[in-house]
Amino acid sequence: MQKNWLLVVLAAVFEVMWVAGLKYADQLWEWALTAIAIMISFAVLIYSGKRLPTSTVYAVFVGLGTAGTVMVEMAFFGEPFSWMKVGLIALLLVGIIGLKMVTHEHGKDSRKEGEVA
């Protein structure tokens, strides 16, 4: 199951890439990379959602994507640094970790690929 959670983190990394691409892409190749990042992000998210509790996967994906986007904006795109933002991101990450810790995962064979719960 840990592999699937790592895939959720990977999907969130690609989410941060495409969100930045939507804001900063100017050339055709940048827009193409943004589109590829969108496809990879959602493909990995859908794959993980079939193997893990979907609501928790989506909450982790969105939370990590939000935290990552704010940090990338501050680090690379001139967004002013704020300790308040860092503290709120830390609080968000604590909530995400807590949500993952209290979510009970189903057994390996509880759902087959493509089967609705």
Side-chain angles (χ1 to χ4, degrees), residues 52-113:
L52 297 167
T54 306
S55 58
T56 306
V57 166
Y58 186 69
V60 170
F61 170 75
V62 170
L64 291 176
T66 301
T69 300
V70 171
M71 290 188 296
V72 166
E73 287 281 325
M74 287 191 298
F76 299 109
F77 297 113
E79 181 72 24
F81 179 84
S82 165
W83 282 109
M84 181 64 80
K85 286 182 185 179
V86 173
L88 291 170
I89 288 171
L91 183 62
L92 178 65
L93 293 175
V94 166
I96 291 168
I97 292 167
L99 183 61
K100 194 233 179 262
M101 290 175 67
V102 300
T103 299
H104 300 287
E105 297 174 6
H106 300 287
K108 282 185 179 179
D109 298 328
S110 64
R111 277 196 297 175
K112 295 180 180 136
E113 186 170 342

Side-chain angles (χ1 to χ4, degrees), residues 24-37:
Y24 296 105
D26 290 326
Q27 299 177 0
L28 181 60
W29 68 272
E30 292 170 330
W31 283 107
L33 289 175
T34 300
I36 290 168

